[in-house]
Coordinates of all heavy atoms in Angstrom, one line a residue:
M1 N 17.2 -4.8 -7.0 CA 16.6 -5.7 -6.2 C 15.1 -5.5 -6.5 O 14.5 -4.5 -6.5 CB 16.9 -5.4 -4.8 CG 16.0 -6.2 -3.9 SD 16.0 -5.7 -2.2 CE 17.6 -6.3 -1.6
N2 N 14.4 -6.6 -6.9 CA 13.0 -6.6 -7.1 C 12.2 -6.9 -5.8 O 12.6 -7.7 -5.0 CB 12.6 -7.8 -8.1 CG 12.8 -7.3 -9.5 OD1 13.0 -6.1 -9.7 ND2 12.8 -8.2 -10.5
R3 N 11.2 -6.2 -5.5 CA 10.4 -6.3 -4.3 C 9.0 -7.0 -4.7 O 8.5 -6.6 -5.7 CB 10.1 -5.0 -3.7 CG 9.3 -5.0 -2.5 CD 8.9 -3.6 -2.1 NE 8.0 -3.0 -3.0 CZ 6.7 -3.2 -3.0 NH1 6.1 -4.1 -2.4 NH2 5.9 -2.5 -3.9
S4 N 8.6 -7.9 -4.0 CA 7.3 -8.5 -4.2 C 6.2 -7.8 -3.3 O 6.5 -7.5 -2.2 CB 7.3 -10.0 -3.8 OG 8.1 -10.7 -4.6
P5 N 5.2 -7.4 -3.9 CA 4.1 -6.7 -3.1 C 3.5 -7.6 -2.1 O 3.6 -8.9 -2.1 CB 3.0 -6.3 -4.1 CG 3.2 -7.3 -5.4 CD 4.8 -7.7 -5.3
Q6 N 3.0 -7.0 -1.0 CA 2.4 -7.8 0.0 C 1.2 -8.7 -0.5 O 0.6 -8.1 -1.4 CB 1.9 -6.8 1.1 CG 3.0 -6.1 1.9 CD 3.9 -7.0 2.6 OE1 3.5 -7.9 3.3 NE2 5.2 -6.8 2.5
P7 N 0.9 -9.7 0.1 CA -0.2 -10.6 -0.3 C -1.5 -9.8 -0.1 O -1.7 -9.0 0.8 CB -0.1 -11.8 0.5 CG 1.0 -11.7 1.5 CD 1.7 -10.4 1.3
L8 N -2.5 -10.1 -1.0 CA -3.8 -9.5 -0.9 C -4.7 -10.4 -0.1 O -4.5 -11.7 0.0 CB -4.4 -9.3 -2.3 CG -3.8 -8.3 -3.1 CD1 -4.3 -8.4 -4.5 CD2 -3.9 -7.0 -2.6
P9 N -5.7 -9.8 0.6 CA -6.7 -10.7 1.2 C -7.4 -11.4 0.2 O -7.5 -11.1 -1.0 CB -7.5 -9.7 1.9 CG -7.4 -8.4 1.2 CD -6.0 -8.4 0.7
D10 N -8.1 -12.6 0.6 CA -8.8 -13.4 -0.3 C -10.2 -12.8 -0.6 O -11.0 -12.8 0.4 CB -9.0 -14.8 0.2 CG -9.6 -15.8 -0.6 OD1 -9.5 -15.6 -2.0 OD2 -10.2 -16.8 -0.2
I11 N -10.4 -12.2 -1.7 CA -11.7 -11.6 -2.1 C -12.2 -12.4 -3.2 O -11.6 -12.4 -4.4 CB -11.6 -10.2 -2.5 CG1 -11.0 -9.4 -1.4 CG2 -13.0 -9.6 -2.9 CD1 -11.8 -9.2 -0.1
T12 N -13.1 -13.2 -3.1 CA -13.6 -14.2 -4.1 C -14.6 -13.5 -5.1 O -15.3 -12.5 -4.7 CB -14.3 -15.4 -3.6 OG1 -15.4 -14.9 -2.7 CG2 -13.4 -16.2 -2.7
P13 N -14.6 -13.9 -6.4 CA -15.5 -13.4 -7.3 C -17.0 -13.5 -6.8 O -17.2 -14.5 -6.2 CB -15.3 -14.2 -8.6 CG -13.9 -14.6 -8.5 CD -13.7 -14.9 -6.9
G14 N -17.8 -12.5 -7.0 CA -19.2 -12.5 -6.5 C -19.4 -11.8 -5.2 O -20.5 -11.5 -4.8
T15 N -18.2 -11.4 -4.5 CA -18.2 -10.6 -3.3 C -18.8 -9.2 -3.6 O -18.3 -8.6 -4.5 CB -16.7 -10.6 -2.7 OG1 -16.3 -11.9 -2.5 CG2 -16.8 -9.7 -1.4
L16 N -19.7 -8.8 -2.8 CA -20.1 -7.4 -2.9 C -19.2 -6.5 -2.0 O -19.2 -6.7 -0.8 CB -21.5 -7.3 -2.4 CG -22.1 -5.9 -2.5 CD1 -22.1 -5.2 -3.9 CD2 -23.6 -5.8 -1.9
L17 N -18.6 -5.6 -2.5 CA -17.7 -4.6 -1.7 C -18.5 -3.3 -1.7 O -18.9 -2.7 -2.7 CB -16.4 -4.4 -2.5 CG -15.4 -5.4 -2.6 CD1 -14.2 -5.0 -3.3 CD2 -15.1 -6.0 -1.2
Q18 N -18.7 -2.8 -0.5 CA -19.3 -1.5 -0.3 C -18.2 -0.6 0.2 O -17.7 -0.7 1.3 CB -20.3 -1.7 0.9 CG -21.5 -2.6 0.6 CD -22.5 -2.0 -0.2 OE1 -22.4 -0.8 -0.7 NE2 -23.6 -2.7 -0.5
L19 N -17.8 0.3 -0.8 CA -16.6 1.1 -0.5 C -17.0 2.5 -0.1 O -17.9 3.1 -0.7 CB -15.8 1.1 -1.8 CG -15.2 -0.2 -2.4 CD1 -14.7 0.0 -3.8 CD2 -14.3 -0.8 -1.4
E20 N -16.4 2.9 0.9 CA -16.6 4.4 1.3 C -15.9 5.3 0.4 O -15.0 4.9 -0.3 CB -16.1 4.6 2.8 CG -16.9 3.8 3.8 CD -18.3 4.1 3.9 OE1 -18.6 5.3 3.7 OE2 -19.1 3.2 4.1
A21 N -16.1 6.6 0.5 CA -15.6 7.5 -0.5 C -14.0 7.6 -0.4 O -13.4 7.7 -1.4 CB -16.1 9.0 -0.1
N22 N -13.4 7.3 0.8 CA -12.0 7.4 0.8 C -11.3 6.0 0.6 O -10.2 5.8 0.7 CB -11.5 7.9 2.2 CG -12.1 7.2 3.3 OD1 -12.8 6.3 3.2 ND2 -11.5 7.5 4.5
D23 N -12.2 4.9 0.2 CA -11.6 3.6 0.0 C -11.2 3.5 -1.5 O -10.5 2.4 -1.8 CB -12.6 2.5 0.3 CG -12.9 2.4 1.8 OD1 -12.0 2.7 2.6 OD2 -13.9 1.9 2.1
W24 N -11.5 4.3 -2.3 CA -11.2 4.3 -3.8 C -10.8 5.6 -4.3 O -11.0 6.7 -3.7 CB -12.3 3.7 -4.6 CG -13.5 4.6 -4.5 CD1 -14.5 4.7 -3.6 CD2 -14.0 5.4 -5.6 NE1 -15.4 5.6 -4.0 CE2 -15.2 6.0 -5.3 CE3 -13.4 5.7 -6.9 CZ2 -15.8 7.0 -6.0 CZ3 -14.1 6.6 -7.7 CH2 -15.3 7.3 -7.3
S25 N -10.0 5.6 -5.3 CA -9.5 6.9 -5.9 C -9.9 7.1 -7.3 O -9.9 8.3 -7.8 CB -8.0 7.0 -5.8 OG -7.4 6.1 -6.8
Y26 N -10.2 6.1 -8.1 CA -10.5 6.3 -9.5 C -11.4 5.2 -10.0 O -11.3 4.0 -9.7 CB -9.2 6.4 -10.4 CG -9.6 6.6 -11.8 CD1 -9.9 7.9 -12.3 CD2 -9.6 5.6 -12.6 CE1 -10.3 8.1 -13.7 CE2 -9.9 5.7 -14.0 CZ -10.2 7.0 -14.5 OH -10.6 7.2 -15.8
G27 N -12.4 5.5 -10.8 CA -13.2 4.6 -11.6 C -14.0 5.4 -12.7 O -14.5 6.4 -12.4
R28 N -13.9 4.8 -13.8 CA -14.6 5.4 -15.0 C -16.0 5.5 -14.7 O -16.7 4.6 -14.2 CB -14.3 4.5 -16.2 CG -14.8 5.2 -17.5 CD -14.5 4.4 -18.6 NE -14.6 3.0 -18.5 CZ -15.3 2.2 -19.3 NH1 -15.8 2.6 -20.3 NH2 -15.5 0.9 -19.0
D29 N -16.6 6.6 -15.0 CA -18.1 6.9 -14.8 C -18.5 6.9 -13.3 O -19.6 6.7 -13.1 CB -18.9 6.0 -15.6 CG -18.7 6.2 -17.1 OD1 -18.3 7.3 -17.5 OD2 -18.8 5.2 -17.8
L30 N -17.5 7.0 -12.4 CA -17.9 7.1 -11.0 C -17.6 8.5 -10.5 O -16.8 9.2 -10.9 CB -17.1 6.1 -10.1 CG -17.2 4.6 -10.5 CD1 -16.2 3.8 -9.7 CD2 -18.7 4.2 -10.3
T31 N -18.4 8.9 -9.5 CA -18.3 10.4 -9.0 C -17.3 10.2 -7.8 O -17.5 9.6 -6.8 CB -19.6 10.8 -8.6 OG1 -20.6 10.7 -9.6 CG2 -19.6 12.3 -8.0
P32 N -16.2 11.0 -7.9 CA -15.2 11.0 -6.8 C -15.8 11.5 -5.5 O -16.8 12.4 -5.5 CB -14.2 12.0 -7.3 CG -14.3 12.0 -8.8 CD -15.7 11.7 -9.1
G33 N -15.4 11.0 -4.4 CA -15.9 11.4 -3.1 C -17.2 10.9 -2.7 O -17.9 11.4 -1.8
T34 N -17.7 9.8 -3.4 CA -18.9 9.1 -3.1 C -18.7 7.7 -2.8 O -17.8 7.1 -3.2 CB -20.0 9.3 -4.2 OG1 -19.4 8.6 -5.4 CG2 -20.3 10.7 -4.5
P35 N -19.6 7.1 -2.0 CA -19.5 5.7 -1.8 C -19.8 4.9 -3.1 O -20.5 5.4 -3.9 CB -20.6 5.3 -0.8 CG -21.0 6.6 -0.2 CD -20.6 7.7 -1.2
V36 N -19.2 3.7 -3.2 CA -19.3 2.9 -4.4 C -19.6 1.4 -4.0 O -19.0 0.9 -3.1 CB -18.1 3.0 -5.3 CG1 -18.1 1.9 -6.3 CG2 -17.9 4.3 -5.8
A37 N -20.5 0.7 -4.7 CA -20.7 -0.7 -4.5 C -20.2 -1.4 -5.7 O -20.5 -0.9 -6.9 CB -22.2 -1.0 -4.2
V38 N -19.5 -2.5 -5.6 CA -19.1 -3.3 -6.7 C -19.1 -4.7 -6.4 O -18.7 -5.2 -5.3 CB -17.7 -2.9 -7.2 CG1 -16.6 -3.0 -6.1 CG2 -17.2 -3.6 -8.4
T39 N -19.7 -5.6 -7.3 CA -19.7 -7.0 -7.1 C -18.4 -7.5 -7.8 O -18.3 -7.3 -9.1 CB -20.9 -7.6 -7.8 OG1 -22.0 -7.1 -7.0 CG2 -20.9 -9.1 -7.6
V40 N -17.5 -8.1 -7.2 CA -16.1 -8.5 -7.7 C -16.2 -9.5 -8.8 O -16.9 -10.5 -8.6 CB -15.2 -8.9 -6.6 CG1 -13.9 -9.3 -7.1 CG2 -15.0 -7.7 -5.5
A41 N -15.6 -9.2 -9.9 CA -15.4 -10.2 -11.0 C -14.0 -10.8 -10.9 O -13.8 -11.9 -11.1 CB -15.7 -9.6 -12.4
A42 N -13.0 -9.8 -10.7 CA -11.6 -10.3 -10.6 C -10.9 -9.1 -10.0 O -11.3 -8.0 -10.0 CB -11.1 -10.5 -12.0
I43 N -9.7 -9.5 -9.5 CA -8.8 -8.5 -8.9 C -7.5 -8.5 -9.9 O -7.1 -9.6 -10.3 CB -8.3 -8.8 -7.5 CG1 -9.4 -8.7 -6.6 CG2 -7.1 -7.9 -7.0 CD1 -9.2 -9.0 -5.2
R44 N -7.2 -7.3 -10.4 CA -5.9 -7.3 -11.2 C -4.8 -7.2 -10.4 O -4.3 -6.1 -10.0 CB -6.1 -6.0 -12.2 CG -5.1 -5.9 -13.2 CD -5.3 -4.8 -14.1 NE -6.3 -5.3 -15.1 CZ -7.0 -4.4 -15.8 NH1 -6.9 -3.2 -15.7 NH2 -8.0 -4.9 -16.6
D45 N -4.1 -8.3 -10.1 CA -3.0 -8.4 -9.1 C -1.7 -8.5 -10.1 O -1.3 -9.6 -10.5 CB -3.0 -9.6 -8.3 CG -2.0 -9.6 -7.2 OD1 -1.3 -8.6 -7.1 OD2 -1.9 -10.6 -6.5
L46 N -1.2 -7.4 -10.4 CA 0.0 -7.3 -11.3 C 1.2 -7.5 -10.5 O 1.3 -7.0 -9.3 CB 0.0 -6.0 -12.1 CG -1.2 -5.7 -12.9 CD1 -1.2 -4.3 -13.5 CD2 -1.3 -6.7 -14.0
P47 N 2.3 -8.0 -10.9 CA 3.5 -8.2 -10.2 C 4.1 -6.9 -9.7 O 4.8 -6.9 -8.7 CB 4.4 -9.0 -11.1 CG 3.9 -9.0 -12.4 CD 2.4 -8.6 -12.3
N48 N 3.9 -5.8 -10.5 CA 4.5 -4.6 -10.2 C 3.5 -3.6 -9.4 O 3.8 -2.4 -9.2 CB 5.2 -3.8 -11.3 CG 4.0 -3.5 -12.4 OD1 2.9 -4.1 -12.2 ND2 4.4 -2.7 -13.2
R49 N 2.5 -4.1 -8.9 CA 1.5 -3.3 -8.2 C 2.0 -2.7 -6.8 O 2.9 -3.2 -6.3 CB 0.1 -4.0 -7.9 CG 0.3 -5.0 -6.8 CD -1.0 -5.5 -6.3 NE -0.9 -6.7 -5.5 CZ -0.6 -6.7 -4.2 NH1 -0.4 -5.6 -3.6 NH2 -0.5 -7.8 -3.6
S50 N 1.5 -1.7 -6.4 CA 1.9 -1.0 -5.2 C 1.2 -1.8 -4.0 O 0.3 -2.6 -4.2 CB 1.5 0.4 -5.1 OG 0.2 0.5 -4.7
D51 N 1.7 -1.6 -2.8 CA 1.1 -2.2 -1.6 C -0.1 -1.3 -1.2 O -0.8 -1.8 -0.2 CB 2.1 -2.2 -0.4 CG 3.1 -3.4 -0.6 OD1 2.9 -4.3 -1.3 OD2 4.2 -3.2 -0.1
E52 N -0.3 -0.2 -1.9 CA -1.5 0.7 -1.3 C -2.7 0.6 -2.2 O -3.8 0.8 -1.7 CB -0.9 2.2 -1.3 CG 0.1 2.4 -0.3 CD 0.6 3.8 -0.3 OE1 -0.3 4.7 -0.6 OE2 1.8 4.1 -0.2
W53 N -2.6 0.3 -3.5 CA -3.7 0.4 -4.4 C -3.8 -0.9 -5.3 O -2.8 -1.5 -5.6 CB -3.6 1.5 -5.3 CG -3.6 2.8 -4.6 CD1 -2.6 3.6 -4.2 CD2 -4.8 3.5 -4.1 NE1 -3.0 4.8 -3.5 CE2 -4.4 4.8 -3.5 CE3 -6.2 3.3 -4.3 CZ2 -5.3 5.6 -3.0 CZ3 -7.1 4.2 -3.7 CH2 -6.6 5.3 -3.0
I54 N -5.0 -1.3 -5.6 CA -5.2 -2.4 -6.5 C -6.4 -2.2 -7.3 O -7.4 -1.4 -6.9 CB -5.5 -3.8 -5.6 CG1 -5.5 -5.0 -6.5 CG2 -6.7 -3.7 -4.9 CD1 -4.1 -5.4 -6.8
W55 N -6.4 -2.7 -8.5 CA -7.6 -2.5 -9.5 C -8.6 -3.7 -9.2 O -8.1 -4.9 -9.4 CB -7.2 -2.4 -10.9 CG -6.5 -1.1 -11.3 CD1 -5.2 -0.8 -11.2 CD2 -7.1 0.2 -11.5 NE1 -5.0 0.4 -11.6 CE2 -6.2 1.0 -11.8 CE3 -8.6 0.5 -11.7 CZ2 -6.5 2.4 -12.1 CZ3 -8.8 1.8 -12.0 CH2 -7.8 2.7 -12.3
I56 N -9.8 -3.3 -9.1 CA -11.0 -4.3 -9.0 C -11.8 -4.2 -10.2 O -12.2 -3.1 -10.6 CB -11.8 -4.0 -7.7 CG1 -11.0 -4.0 -6.4 CG2 -13.0 -5.0 -7.7 CD1 -10.6 -5.4 -6.0
L57 N -12.0 -5.3 -10.8 CA -12.9 -5.4 -12.1 C -14.2 -6.0 -11.5 O -14.2 -7.0 -10.7 CB -12.4 -6.3 -13.1 CG -11.0 -6.0 -13.6 CD1 -10.5 -7.0 -14.6 CD2 -11.1 -4.6 -14.4
G58 N -15.3 -5.4 -11.9 CA -16.6 -5.9 -11.3 C -17.8 -5.4 -12.1 O -17.7 -4.9 -13.2
H59 N -18.9 -5.6 -11.4 CA -20.2 -5.2 -12.0 C -20.9 -4.3 -10.9 O -20.7 -4.4 -9.7 CB -21.0 -6.5 -12.1 CG -20.4 -7.3 -13.2 ND1 -20.6 -7.2 -14.5 CD2 -19.7 -8.4 -13.0 CE1 -19.9 -8.0 -15.2 NE2 -19.3 -8.9 -14.3
R60 N -21.8 -3.5 -11.3 CA -22.7 -2.7 -10.5 C -23.6 -3.7 -9.8 O -24.1 -4.6 -10.5 CB -23.3 -1.5 -11.1 CG -22.4 -0.6 -11.7 CD -23.1 0.5 -12.5 NE -22.2 1.4 -13.1 CZ -21.5 2.3 -12.6 NH1 -21.6 2.6 -11.3 NH2 -20.7 3.2 -13.3
P61 N -24.0 -3.6 -8.6 CA -24.9 -4.6 -8.0 C -26.3 -4.7 -8.8 O -26.8 -5.8 -8.9 CB -25.3 -4.0 -6.6 CG -24.0 -3.2 -6.3 CD -23.6 -2.6 -7.6
E62 N -26.7 -3.8 -9.5 CA -28.0 -3.8 -10.3 C -27.8 -4.5 -11.6 O -28.7 -4.7 -12.3 CB -28.6 -2.5 -10.4 CG -27.8 -1.4 -11.2 CD -26.8 -0.7 -10.3 OE1 -26.6 -1.0 -9.1 OE2 -26.3 0.4 -10.8
C63 N -26.5 -4.8 -12.0 CA -26.3 -5.3 -13.3 C -26.9 -6.7 -13.4 O -26.8 -7.5 -12.3 CB -24.8 -5.5 -13.6 SG -24.3 -6.3 -15.1
D64 N -27.3 -7.2 -14.5 CA -27.9 -8.4 -14.8 C -26.8 -9.5 -15.2 O -27.1 -10.4 -16.0 CB -29.0 -8.4 -15.8 CG -30.2 -7.7 -15.3 OD1 -30.4 -7.8 -14.0 OD2 -31.0 -7.2 -16.1
Y65 N -25.5 -9.3 -14.9 CA -24.4 -10.0 -15.4 C -24.7 -11.6 -15.2 O -24.2 -12.3 -16.0 CB -23.1 -9.6 -14.8 CG -22.9 -9.9 -13.4 CD1 -22.1 -11.1 -13.0 CD2 -23.3 -9.2 -12.4 CE1 -22.0 -11.5 -11.7 CE2 -23.1 -9.5 -11.0 CZ -22.5 -10.6 -10.7 OH -22.3 -11.0 -9.5
P66 N -25.3 -12.1 -14.1 CA -25.3 -13.5 -14.0 C -26.1 -14.2 -15.1 O -25.9 -15.4 -15.5 CB -25.9 -13.8 -12.7 CG -25.8 -12.5 -11.9 CD -25.8 -11.5 -12.9
H67 N -26.9 -13.4 -15.8 CA -27.9 -13.9 -16.8 C -27.3 -13.8 -18.2 O -28.0 -14.1 -19.1 CB -29.3 -13.3 -16.7 CG -29.6 -13.3 -15.2 ND1 -30.0 -14.5 -14.6 CD2 -29.8 -12.4 -14.3 CE1 -30.4 -14.2 -13.3 NE2 -30.3 -12.9 -13.1
V68 N -26.1 -13.2 -18.4 CA -25.6 -13.0 -19.7 C -24.3 -13.7 -19.9 O -23.4 -13.5 -19.0 CB -25.4 -11.4 -19.9 CG1 -24.8 -11.1 -21.3 CG2 -26.7 -10.7 -19.7
D69 N -24.1 -14.5 -20.9 CA -22.9 -15.2 -21.0 C -21.7 -14.3 -21.4 O -21.9 -13.4 -22.3 CB -23.0 -16.2 -22.2 CG -23.9 -17.4 -21.7 OD1 -24.0 -17.7 -20.5 OD2 -24.5 -18.1 -22.5
R70 N -20.6 -14.4 -20.9 CA -19.3 -13.7 -21.1 C -19.6 -12.1 -21.1 O -19.0 -11.4 -22.0 CB -18.9 -14.1 -22.5 CG -18.4 -15.5 -22.5 CD -17.9 -15.9 -23.9 NE -17.3 -17.2 -23.8 CZ -16.0 -17.4 -24.1 NH1 -15.3 -16.5 -24.5 NH2 -15.5 -18.7 -23.9
H71 N -20.3 -11.7 -20.2 CA -20.5 -10.3 -20.1 C -19.2 -9.6 -19.5 O -18.9 -10.1 -18.4 CB -21.8 -10.0 -19.2 CG -22.0 -8.6 -18.9 ND1 -22.3 -7.6 -19.8 CD2 -22.0 -7.9 -17.7 CE1 -22.6 -6.4 -19.2 NE2 -22.3 -6.6 -18.0
P72 N -18.6 -8.7 -20.1 CA -17.4 -8.1 -19.5 C -17.8 -7.3 -18.3 O -18.9 -6.8 -18.2 CB -16.9 -7.2 -20.7 CG -18.0 -6.9 -21.5 CD -19.0 -8.1 -21.4
P73 N -16.8 -7.0 -17.4 CA -17.1 -6.2 -16.3 C -17.6 -4.8 -16.6 O -17.2 -4.2 -17.6 CB -15.7 -6.1 -15.6 CG -14.9 -7.3 -16.0 CD -15.4 -7.6 -17.4
C74 N -18.6 -4.4 -15.9 CA -19.2 -3.1 -16.1 C -18.3 -2.0 -15.6 O -18.4 -0.8 -16.1 CB -20.5 -2.9 -15.3 SG -21.7 -4.1 -15.6
M75 N -17.4 -2.2 -14.6 CA -16.6 -1.2 -14.0 C -15.2 -1.7 -13.5 O -15.1 -2.9 -13.4 CB -17.4 -0.6 -12.8 CG -17.7 -1.6 -11.8 SD -18.9 -1.1 -10.5 CE -18.1 0.4 -9.8
E76 N -14.4 -0.7 -13.4 CA -13.0 -1.0 -12.9 C -12.8 0.2 -11.9 O -12.9 1.3 -12.3 CB -12.0 -1.0 -14.1 CG -10.6 -1.3 -13.6 CD -9.7 -1.4 -14.8 OE1 -10.0 -1.1 -16.0 OE2 -8.5 -1.9 -14.6
V77 N -12.4 -0.2 -10.7 CA -12.2 0.9 -9.7 C -10.9 0.5 -9.0 O -10.5 -0.6 -8.7 CB -13.4 0.9 -8.8 CG1 -13.6 -0.4 -8.0 CG2 -13.3 2.1 -7.8
R78 N -10.1 1.7 -8.7 CA -8.9 1.6 -8.0 C -9.1 1.8 -6.5 O -9.6 2.8 -6.1 CB -8.0 2.7 -8.5 CG -6.5 2.7 -8.0 CD -5.8 3.8 -8.7 NE -4.4 3.8 -8.1 CZ -3.9 4.9 -7.5 NH1 -4.6 5.9 -7.3 NH2 -2.7 4.8 -7.0
V79 N -8.9 0.7 -5.8 CA -9.2 0.5 -4.3 C -8.0 0.5 -3.5 O -7.0 -0.1 -3.9 CB -10.1 -0.8 -4.2 CG1 -10.5 -1.0 -2.7 CG2 -11.4 -0.7 -5.1
T80 N -8.1 0.9 -2.2 CA -7.0 0.8 -1.3 C -6.9 -0.6 -0.9 O -7.9 -1.3 -0.6 CB -7.2 1.7 -0.1 OG1 -8.3 1.4 0.6 CG2 -7.2 3.2 -0.5
V81 N -5.7 -1.2 -0.8 CA -5.5 -2.5 -0.2 C -6.0 -2.5 1.2 O -6.6 -3.6 1.7 CB -4.1 -2.9 -0.4 CG1 -3.7 -4.2 0.3 CG2 -3.7 -3.0 -1.9
A82 N -5.8 -1.5 1.9 CA -6.2 -1.4 3.3 C -7.8 -1.6 3.4 O -8.2 -2.3 4.4 CB -5.9 -0.1 4.0
A83 N -8.6 -1.1 2.5 CA -10.0 -1.3 2.6 C -10.4 -2.8 2.3 O -11.3 -3.3 3.0 CB -10.7 -0.5 1.4
L84 N -9.6 -3.5 1.5 CA -9.8 -4.9 1.4 C -9.5 -5.7 2.6 O -10.2 -6.6 3.0 CB -9.0 -5.5 0.2 CG -9.3 -4.8 -1.2 CD1 -8.4 -5.4 -2.3 CD2 -10.8 -4.9 -1.5
H85 N -8.4 -5.4 3.2 CA -8.0 -6.0 4.5 C -9.0 -5.8 5.6 O -9.5 -6.6 6.3 CB -6.6 -5.5 5.0 CG -5.5 -6.1 4.2 ND1 -5.2 -7.4 4.4 CD2 -4.6 -5.7 3.4 CE1 -4.2 -7.8 3.6 NE2 -3.8 -6.7 3.0
R86 N -9.6 -4.5 5.7 CA -10.6 -4.1 6.6 C -11.9 -5.0 6.4 O -12.4 -5.4 7.3 CB -10.9 -2.7 6.6 CG -10.1 -1.8 7.4 CD -10.7 -0.4 7.6 NE -11.3 0.2 6.5 CZ -10.6 0.9 5.5 NH1 -9.3 1.2 5.6 NH2 -11.3 1.4 4.5
R87 N -12.3 -5.1 5.2 CA -13.4 -5.8 4.7 C -13.2 -7.3 5.2 O -14.2 -7.9 5.7 CB -13.7 -5.7 3.3 CG -14.9 -6.3 2.8 CD -14.6 -7.6 1.9 NE -15.9 -8.2 1.5 CZ -16.1 -9.5 1.9 NH1 -15.2 -10.2 2.6 NH2 -17.2 -10.1 1.6
N88 N -12.1 -7.9 5.0 CA -11.9 -9.2 5.3 C -11.8 -9.5 6.8 O -12.1 -10.5 7.3 CB -10.6 -9.8 4.7 CG -10.8 -10.8 3.5 OD1 -12.0 -10.8 3.1 ND2 -9.9 -11.5 3.1
S89 N -11.4 -8.5 7.6 CA -11.2 -8.7 9.0 C -12.6 -8.4 9.7 O -12.7 -8.6 10.9 CB -10.2 -7.7 9.5 OG -10.6 -6.3 9.6
G90 N -13.6 -7.9 8.9 CA -14.9 -7.7 9.5 C -15.1 -6.4 10.2 O -16.1 -6.1 10.8
S91 N -14.0 -5.4 10.1 CA -14.2 -4.2 10.8 C -14.6 -3.0 9.8 O -14.6 -3.1 8.7 CB -13.0 -3.7 11.5 OG -11.8 -4.3 11.1

């Protein structure tokens, strides 16, 4: 039996996510246990993803990405789905 993951909240590209230390678990060149800010470029919503974690592709807020054509995301960070739901609910 195949299970479909729970739907994700609507996080549009360009959204600035301010993540607390316990809202994420892994990101290349990021220091574990620290807050992280990411401007969302895309959410990697794979059909076999868990209900607990999702990969966010994005840019550091200080990145000049809007001024560069086809600039690939600066960062990829593994975020809790609960943090995205909290962010969308405003709490």
Side-chain angles (χ1 to χ4, degrees):
M1 172 192 284
N2 279 343
R3 180 191 67 77
S4 296
Q6 295 296 315
L8 293 172
D10 186 29
I11 306 290
T12 58
T15 299
L16 177 64
L17 293 178
Q18 299 281 359
L19 303 170
E20 297 299 323
N22 61 348
D23 289 339
W24 65 280
S25 70
Y26 179 79
R28 186 173 44 125
D29 296 330
L30 298 175
T31 304
T34 62
V36 170
V38 58
T39 302
V40 176
I43 294 177
R44 185 173 287 158
D45 189 11
L46 302 172
N48 61 344
R49 72 166 165 82
S50 79
D51 283 333
E52 295 179 38
W53 297 96
I54 191 77
W55 285 97
I56 302 286
L57 303 172
H59 300 276
R60 297 179 188 281
E62 63 274 10
C63 177
D64 289 332
Y65 73 94
H67 311 291
V68 179
D69 290 336
R70 298 179 168 240
H71 176 62
C74 301
M75 59 192 302
E76 183 173 12
V77 61
R78 187 174 175 243
V79 177
T80 65
V81 172
L84 299 180
H85 282 290
R86 276 195 317 274
R87 187 247 174 239
N88 252 19
S89 70
S91 27

